[in-house]
Amino acid sequence: MTAYDDLMAQERDTQALAQVAGRLGWDQETMMPRGAAEQRSEESGAMQAVLHARRCDPRRGDLLSEAEAEVSDEVARAQLRHIRRDYDRATLVPGDLAVALARLTSRAQGQWAEARAADDYAAFAPVLAEVIRLKREEAAAVARGRDLYDALIDDFEPDMTAARLDAMFAEMRPRLVDLRARALERDWPALDAHFDEQAQLRLSRELARNFGYDFARGRLDMAVHPFSSGSGDDVRITTRVSEHDPFNCLYSTIHEVGHACYEQGIDPDYRLTPLGQGVSMGVHESQSRIYENQLGRSRAYTGWLFERMRDTFGDFGVDDAETFYRAVNRVHRGFIRTEADEVQYNLHIMLRFDLEKALIAGDLSTDDLEAAWNDRFEADFGYAVDRASNGVLQDVHWSVGLFGYFPTYSLGNVYAGCLYQAMRGAVPDLEVHLSRGDLGGATSWLRAQVQRHGGRFAPAEVIGRACGGAEPTAGPLLEYLEEKFGRL
């Protein structure tokens, strides 16, 4: 066997163990007994210790150097590029720090859930401060002269920087603020009925299949914060239900199906290798957002969904497809990022981006975080946060150490805008098919252009290739939003 063959055999075992570790996280959010939190913290730490040791193993480094000298195949070179990146980063992080972070964030996640339920930020602040301390240590270990926050972003969106994100947000903010002001001047219909929980879940499963989710290789369960996990032949999604707001369940499901279909759509030859997963969180989010918004909230598709809603729930107070379309896309005051309309969603991300930059830089303490959040929210949205679960405690991300993750949501929206522009030119009669509930042309195009490649190409490259070589910019997203909501 060659060095490359030996290295890839080791990588498959490491990838398999990483999937097992991920399943612990899925279980913690869906099935784990509440009293198991401390034990799960130890289990997560033990798994992280094993994974970290494998990733830092000097033998891995030796095989990697030998393989880099012997292979020229494009796919093999892409595999080695990811392994090199992972090895170099892993060897910079002390093993005891990696284990401490795994144990702490497992425990912090449970404390966040309890604090959120009690609307008690003060109960969560001490453990959050410890998470931030360890994340700053991790960032300092891998930064190698770069800004600490840039080092954390790089874990989710390779080669992205805060400066580039600042420039992108500076372009987006004024146009979004203007569009929001115009949209909020109008009256928007809202649903006002009771929607049975089990009926919502049945319809959610139907929509998941409609968008191409393979239940033979996946599950749909309930969680406080919807998420997707896994890859290859075991990809799991979660949703949540409000009996007065079925859109929360239906569109959370469609969103997570976008993530899941990305993972299920990757070339099977890449399974349990570095290429066998989404290349970045921004590209991942592009799939969930284009499924949810450009496709799922389109006038054509909501016309079909309106009839399925009536079949499922009977008369729910909306008489025609156009009113239903406006209700689905309602621009409204609200606190929750995951429930925000397309116009305001990115403003939620900009708030979190600025706050977490300040936390990592040491310019904002956790003691002052809730007040800073509330002040910024009122300045940006024009009304005050009423309770912590609608403000600083609404997202799970900081409790599990995902600093640098939030801006990838907006990157995903930007990428989705570019992809949708290209899709409209590439998929004949797209609107006609959507009006029949037929998503095959759209999802097949995304699978061929983006999903099947997994990690083979860099994030901007995979989007650029799908869009005819054009560099991803915010322009197509802003034009889409202004056209859609201008007409609404």
Side-chain angles (χ1 to χ4, degrees):
M1 294 178 67
T2 66
Y4 178 76
D5 292 333
D6 286 344
L7 179 64
M8 292 306 296
Q10 288 188 13
E11 289 300 310
R12 287 185 176 88
D13 287 345
T14 301
Q15 292 284 335
L17 288 169
Q19 291 296 314
V20 173
R23 215 91 71 234
L24 288 176
W26 171 85
D27 177 73
Q28 182 169 342
E29 285 291 284
T30 56
M31 304 289 184
M32 186 187 80
R34 288 182 60 190
E38 287 298 325
Q39 179 173 317
R40 180 54 49 85
S41 174
E42 292 299 313
E43 292 166 355
S44 297
M47 283 297 296
Q48 186 57 45
V50 171
L51 284 166
H52 189 75
R54 292 183 66 88
R55 288 168 175 155
C56 297
D57 186 346
R59 176 61 180 155
R60 186 189 190 205
D62 293 340
L63 285 172
L64 177 57
S65 296
E66 292 178 43
E68 287 171 332
E70 71 184 19
V71 303
S72 57
D73 174 76
E74 180 188 349
V75 171
R77 298 297 300 178
Q79 298 278 19
L80 295 178
R81 184 176 69 248
H82 283 279
I83 298 170
R84 170 59 68 187
R85 172 185 165 81
D86 181 69
Y87 177 73
D88 288 348
R89 186 178 182 91
T91 54
L92 292 170
V93 178
D96 56 353
L97 175 57
V99 172
L101 265 168
R103 288 175 174 159
L104 176 63
T105 53
S106 178
R107 177 164 53 86
Q109 185 175 359
Q111 293 184 18
W112 162 80
E114 292 176 0
R116 182 178 182 273
D119 278 310
D120 185 4
Y121 171 72
F124 176 60
V127 72
L128 177 60
E130 184 65 9
V131 170
I132 292 170
R133 184 183 70 79
L134 293 187
K135 291 302 293 185
R136 284 174 54 84
E137 283 188 29
E138 180 187 45
V142 302
R144 290 188 282 192
R146 292 178 297 163
D147 175 79
L148 294 186
Y149 188 67
D150 284 352
L152 296 178
I153 294 172
D154 195 63
D155 209 26
F156 306 106
E157 196 70 16
D159 303 320
M160 184 53 62
T161 66
R164 290 174 61 192
L165 290 165
D166 279 324
M168 183 182 77
F169 290 153
E171 176 188 358
M172 295 171 66
R173 187 189 298 273
R175 290 172 67 174
L176 292 174
V177 169
D178 176 67
L179 183 58
R180 179 185 66 183
R182 288 186 281 126
L184 288 174
E185 290 175 354
R186 305 175 190 175
D187 292 327
W188 297 84
L191 301 188
D192 184 17
H194 178 269
F195 298 87
D196 177 73
E197 175 178 321
Q198 291 306 312
Q200 288 189 51
L201 291 173
R202 286 194 299 271
L203 183 54
S204 286
R205 291 179 183 279
E206 178 184 340
L207 296 183
R209 292 188 183 93
N210 187 225
F211 275 85
Y213 184 53
D214 181 359
F215 275 98
R217 299 186 291 149
R219 294 178 55 93
L220 172 61
D221 295 279
M222 299 278 282
V224 172
H225 196 297
F227 66 96
S228 174
S229 67
S231 66
D233 288 334
D234 191 343
V235 181
R236 307 183 185 196
I237 61 173
T238 64
T239 192
R240 60 186 174 196
V241 173
S242 164
E243 294 195 352
H244 298 285
D245 179 13
F247 296 152
N248 196 321
C249 178
L250 300 182
Y251 283 97
S252 289
T253 300
I254 294 172
H255 180 97
E256 300 307 334
V257 163
H259 285 301
C261 284
Y262 186 5
E263 294 293 335
Q264 289 185 336
I266 295 171
D267 188 330
D269 288 344
Y270 300 160
R271 192 158 302 148
L272 294 180
T273 77
L275 301 190
Q277 54 199 327
V279 69
S280 76
M281 289 315 304
V283 176
H284 235 300
E285 195 67 13
S286 76
Q287 302 306 285
S288 61
R289 295 299 280 180
I290 199 170
Y291 275 49
E292 176 189 357
N293 293 327
Q294 283 90 345
L295 299 176
R297 297 183 192 273
S298 66
R299 176 178 270 108
Y301 187 73
T302 56
W304 176 84
L305 180 58
F306 173 62
E307 297 300 332
R308 291 298 302 117
M309 289 278 289
R310 292 209 295 192
D311 292 342
T312 302
F313 301 108
D315 180 7
F316 58 92
V318 176
D319 296 327
D320 60 87
E322 183 63 22
T323 302
F324 182 75
Y325 172 58
R326 288 178 57 79
V328 167
N329 290 285
R330 174 174 170 255
V331 180
H332 59 285
R333 289 161 56 107
F335 301 104
I336 304 300
R337 171 186 63 85
T338 56
E339 300 170 9
D341 53 78
E342 288 183 82
V343 173
Q344 299 184 88
Y345 183 90
N346 291 298
L347 298 174
H348 286 268
I349 299 305
M350 294 174 197
L351 178 154
R352 290 155 175 76
F353 171 66
D354 288 340
L355 291 179
E356 69 177 21
K357 275 195 305 178
L359 288 167
I360 296 301
D363 297 331
L364 176 64
S365 74
T366 51
D367 290 339
D368 299 326
L369 175 60
E370 183 173 25
W373 178 294
N374 293 346
D375 290 346
R376 172 64 182 269
F377 187 91
E378 187 165 8
D380 282 4
F381 292 88
Y383 46 95
V385 174
D386 59 348
R387 58 184 184 270
S389 58
N390 279 338
V392 70
L393 289 179
Q394 67 179 267
D395 293 304
V396 69
H397 301 60
W398 290 340
S399 73
V400 293
L402 297 181
F403 288 86
Y405 189 114
F406 275 121
T408 67
Y409 286 124
S410 283
L411 279 172
N413 282 328
V414 167
Y415 293 160
C418 297
L419 291 170
Y420 184 59
Q421 184 182 69
M423 179 193 292
R424 291 173 72 179
V427 180
D429 300 321
L430 175 62
E431 300 300 315
V432 173
H433 290 290
L434 293 178
S435 69
R436 299 170 182 162
D438 176 9
L439 289 145
T443 56
S444 293
W445 185 85
L446 288 167
R447 192 174 305 114
Q449 298 298 323
V450 177
Q451 294 168 6
R452 70 183 177 92
H453 298 304
R456 181 173 176 180
F457 304 110
E461 183 181 1
V462 74
I463 301 300
R465 290 169 65 95
C467 298
E471 182 76 16
T473 69
L477 172 67
L478 295 170
E479 291 163 10
Y480 154 76
L481 291 173
E482 288 166 346
E483 177 186 5
K484 176 177 179 176
F485 288 91
R487 291 180 177 179
L488 278 168

